[in-house]
Amino acid sequence: MGKENNPRRVAENEAFAKAKMLRTSPQKLNLVAAMIRGKKVEKALADLTFSKRRIAGEVKKCLQSAIANAENNHGLDVDTLVVAEAWVGKNLVMKRGRPRARGRFGKIMKPFSEITIKVRQIEERA
């Protein structure tokens, strides 16, 4: 009598995770996302660990969440996972300001963004 299961939003060999409200601009976040696209997850985690960019730690947490979703929720093998897709979206923008000369007002935009990371299990070649 209960509710039916929701259909999967990704294929049977995929899993994803999403991080919202990251305090950086989408343009800067996309540079970090481009750094990990198409790589094996071990290499992507190593790149994020030693990256100098401030937001790389939050992206690493999202990637670890996607790996955990793949392992625990979908029963995928962690050793054969690759970062299939990583895309960035805009979120809200806090609008702040500062008084400037001659009675003017300087706008200060504080953007937020979000990232979605999809991991895919690949077959090992012989």
Side-chain angles (χ1 to χ4, degrees), residues 17-32:
K18 191 168 193 171
K20 296 181 179 181
M21 296 297 287
L22 300 177
R23 182 60 189 86
T24 187
S25 71
Q27 187 175 10
K28 292 177 185 176
L29 185 58
N30 196 36
L31 293 173
V32 178

Side-chain angles (χ1 to χ4, degrees), residues 35-64:
M35 190 170 66
I36 64 171
R37 279 188 197 114
K39 293 185 178 179
K40 287 187 163 278
V41 290
E42 305 89 37
K43 177 79 170 103
L45 283 172
D47 287 351
L48 290 172
T49 301
F50 296 107
S51 174
K52 289 186 176 183
R53 297 202 174 263
R54 178 187 60 82
I55 203 64
E58 298 292 326
V59 176
K60 181 181 174 188
K61 284 201 305 194
C62 182
L63 178 58
Q64 288 171 333

Side-chain angles (χ1 to χ4, degrees), residues 40 77 79-81 122-126:
K40 287 187 163 278
D77 184 24
D79 297 328
T80 60
L81 290 179
I122 57 169
E123 296 82 27
E124 288 293 320
R125 296 187 183 102

